């Protein structure tokens, strides 16, 4: 393992890529601490200290920005607008026929879709930065804080802040693309990885300190390690459906005749169902903010839906995750399309006719394998929460299932890419 | 001090306004969501032409200026308070 790491650094080409990636990641981290002009940095620090622990509203968003959001830095929005934009574009494929046509077009179509995503990112960045600055200005971001975060709130200052944050989001997008282009791994997911991983030490520290004893700290560490092991195991597992290609002559050349397989992962949807479910579950919280704090329905919402340890909240969370698992798998893997492509190139699954029966078989296998996959995802998302509730540690749960899944998923993906680069030079890689 | 601050703010508006379109001018290499969380390995062999290289240079220049202006504005706020 370690020797492979050394070898990765001995290869000049790979070393350049790795160093480039690390450099971009550190630029991203440094930017997360650069306060936006107009924000009073000392006041923000005071507010964060005063209101520590009761910021559930922006939990996931703040996690994705690596704590930059609460700092109101230039990179406050982080990668979130890009994620939202890609989710929207992906979902719009179902609604808008043109998007679907572009997606089917292949590489040039995908490039166009990416371009749309980029424009949408900027639009969303303007929207979200305005929202963030507004709630910071009215004091909702740090409810109950004694000092003003934005001391001088005239129109020019606010506009300048919105513009700066939007430009920051654009810059993050470019940094991510630079990593994808010249570094190792997918830039966007590596940037998310950076921000989540950066929040781990502080979270560990806050659990170790305070009134939790060393026993609880050890238990938490054991749970985290166990969950990571489980996640790695399940993420690597896949069902391989054998595919046989018929031999055929095109001109003077012989094509096909090989047997391969379609890898079907247990959890095809990745972390996306968790992201969708948690963003949907934050809606009641928003609704409760608008209502009268003493009216019956607001209290009902607070007790049953907003509180992350309420039974109804947990049940809804699980149901939503399972639903989105199926939904997202259906969007990303189209059995009809795969069956059609296989038929075109003379491939077939042994024992099953080409065409419609193949598509039916594929969709049967997928819906069956997604069942344990979705349950696994819901479990991983819940295990840390339940464990932390049982252990009675403060409600701020940094090691939620989503963050562990993202970190492990991105880590595995990146290591695989490094390994494939190493193998090009006949070296043994990390995973054996 | 005020004149310096206002001119820096003006510079910030200009650089921010330039940075956004410059980033959008780049060819998107993101690849979307399925790529982001565990998709296939997409090897994009990007051969950046002269235009792309100049664009990169320009973007880096503007981005660095933008960052310096923000740092300076932060320092001014520190000093005046």
């Amino acid at each position: 393992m370690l020797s492979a790491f050394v070898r990765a650094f001995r290869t000049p080409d790979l070393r350049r890529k790795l160093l480039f990636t690390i450099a971009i990641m550190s630029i991203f981290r440094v930017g997360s601490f650069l306060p936006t002009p107009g924000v009073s940095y000392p006041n923000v620090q005071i507010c964060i200290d005063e209101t520590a622990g009761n910021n559930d509203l922006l939990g996931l968003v703040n996690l994705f920005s690596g704590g930059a959001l609460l700092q109101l830095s230039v990179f406050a929005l982080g990668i979130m607008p890009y994620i939202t934009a890609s989710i929207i574009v992906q979902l719009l494929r179902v609604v808008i026929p043109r998007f679907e046509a572009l997606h089917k077009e292949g590489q040039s179509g995908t490039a166009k879709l990416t371009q749309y995503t980029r424009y949408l990112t900027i639009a969303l960045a303007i929207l979200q930065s305005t929202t963030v600055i507004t709630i910071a200005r009215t004091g909702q971001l740090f409810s109950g804080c004694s000092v003003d975060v934005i001391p001088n709130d005239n129109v020019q200052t606010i506009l300048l802040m919105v513009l700066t944050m939007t430009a920051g989001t654009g810059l993050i997008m470019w940094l991510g693309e630079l990593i994808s282009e010249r570094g190792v791994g997918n830039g966007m997911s590596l940037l998310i990885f950076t921000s989540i991983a950066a929040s781990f030490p502080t979270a560990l520290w806050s659990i170790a300190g305070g009134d939790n004893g060393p026993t609880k700290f050890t238990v938490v560490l054991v749970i985290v390690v166990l969950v990571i092991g489980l996640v790695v195991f399940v993420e690597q597992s896949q069902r391989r459906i054998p595919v046989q290609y018929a031999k055929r002559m095109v001109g003077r050349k012989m094509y096909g005749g090989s047997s391969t397989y379609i890898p079907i992962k247990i959890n095809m949807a990745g972390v996306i169902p968790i992201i969708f479910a948690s963003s949907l579950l934050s809606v009641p919280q928003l609704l409760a903010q608008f209502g009268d704090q003493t009216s019956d329905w607001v209290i009902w919402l607070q007790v049953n839906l907003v509180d992350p340890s309420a039974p109804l909240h947990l049940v809804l969370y699980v149901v939503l995750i399972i639903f989105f698992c199926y939904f997202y798998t259906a969007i990303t893997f189209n059995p009809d399309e795969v069956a059609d492509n296989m038929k075109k190139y003379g491939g077939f699954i042994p024992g099953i006719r080409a065409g419609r029966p193949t598509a039916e078989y594929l969709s049967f296998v997928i819906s069956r394998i997604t069942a344990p996959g979705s349950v696994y995802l819901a479990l991983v998302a819940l295990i840390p929460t339940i464990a932390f509730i049982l252990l009675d540690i403060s409600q701020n749960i940094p090691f939620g299932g989503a963050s562990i899944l993202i970190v492990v998923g991105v880590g595995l993906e990146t290591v695989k890419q490094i390994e494939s680069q190493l193998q090009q030079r006949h070296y043994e890689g990390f995973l054996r | 001090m005020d004149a310096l601050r206002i001119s820096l703010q003006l510079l910030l508006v200009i650089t921010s306004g330039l940075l956004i379109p410059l980033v959008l001018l780049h060819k998107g290499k993101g690849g979307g969501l399925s790529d982001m969380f565990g998709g296939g390995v997409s090897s994009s062999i990007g051969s950046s032409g002269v235009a792309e290289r100049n664009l990169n240079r320009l973007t880096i220049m503007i981005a660095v200026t933008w960052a310096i202006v923000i740092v300076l504005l932060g320092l001014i706020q520190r000093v005046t308070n």
Side-chain angles (χ1 to χ4, degrees), chain A residues 327-396:
Chain A
F327 181 73
Y328 197 74
T329 308
I331 285 185
T332 46
F333 189 91
N334 185 355
D336 290 325
E337 209 179 290
V338 175
D340 229 39
N341 276 341
M342 264 162 51
K343 194 168 72 180
K344 233 185 268 171
Y345 296 107
F348 60 92
I349 300 167
I352 289 154
R353 278 170 158 255
R356 204 163 58 88
T358 304
E360 273 166 10
Y361 175 72
L362 281 178
S363 67
F364 166 70
V365 169
I366 282 175
S367 64
R368 203 174 53 174
I369 208 169
T370 307
S374 57
V375 172
Y376 143 80
L377 203 59
L379 268 182
V380 169
L382 280 187
I383 284 178
T385 319
I386 291 174
F388 281 78
I389 291 170
L390 289 181
L391 286 171
D392 197 26
I393 293 169
S394 68
Q395 71 276 35
N396 202 350

Side-chain angles (χ1 to χ4, degrees), chain A residues 34-35 37 39 41 74 82 87 90 115 118 160 163-164 168 170-171 174 181-182 186 188-189 271-272 328 413, chain B residues 9 12-13 16 20 23-24 26 28-30 33 35-39 41 56 60 63 66 70-71 73 77-78:
Chain A
L34 206 59
V39 173
Y41 186 70
V74 283
Y82 190 83
I87 291 176
Q90 190 110 19
Q115 207 58 34
R118 290 154 55 87
L160 189 70
L163 191 64
T164 314
L171 194 63
W174 189 54
E181 197 181 335
R182 303 214 181 136
N186 180 292
M188 299 299 172
S189 34
V271 277
I272 293 161
Y328 197 74
E413 197 66 33
Chain B
Q9 278 176 345
L12 184 60
V13 170
S16 301
I20 296 169
V23 166
L24 284 179
H26 283 277
K29 293 266 164 53
L33 201 66
D35 218 27
M36 233 153 79
F37 299 111
V41 179
N56 275 347
I60 291 172
W66 179 78
I70 288 173
V71 170
L73 274 173
Q77 201 179 28
R78 255 298 154 78

Side-chain angles (χ1 to χ4, degrees), chain A residues 34 171, chain B residues 8 11-16 18-19 22 57-73:
Chain A
L34 206 59
L171 194 63
Chain B
L8 276 178
L11 197 59
L12 184 60
V13 170
I14 295 168
T15 46
S16 301
L18 276 175
L19 195 58
L22 273 176
R57 231 173 256 161
L58 203 62
T59 317
I60 291 172
M61 254 166 51
I62 296 284
V64 168
T65 326
W66 179 78
I68 290 173
V69 168
I70 288 173
V71 170
L72 284 180
L73 274 173

Side-chain angles (χ1 to χ4, degrees), chain A residues 189-208:
Chain A
S189 34
L190 270 178
L191 289 186
I192 297 176
F193 175 89
T194 318
S195 19
I196 292 179
S199 67
F200 271 15
T202 29
L204 272 183
W205 184 247
S206 72
I207 289 175

Side-chain angles (χ1 to χ4, degrees), chain A residues 133-146:
Chain A
I133 290 168
T134 310
I135 63 173
R137 197 174 64 95
T138 53
Q140 272 172 317
L141 188 61
F142 304 103
S143 50
C145 183
S146 50

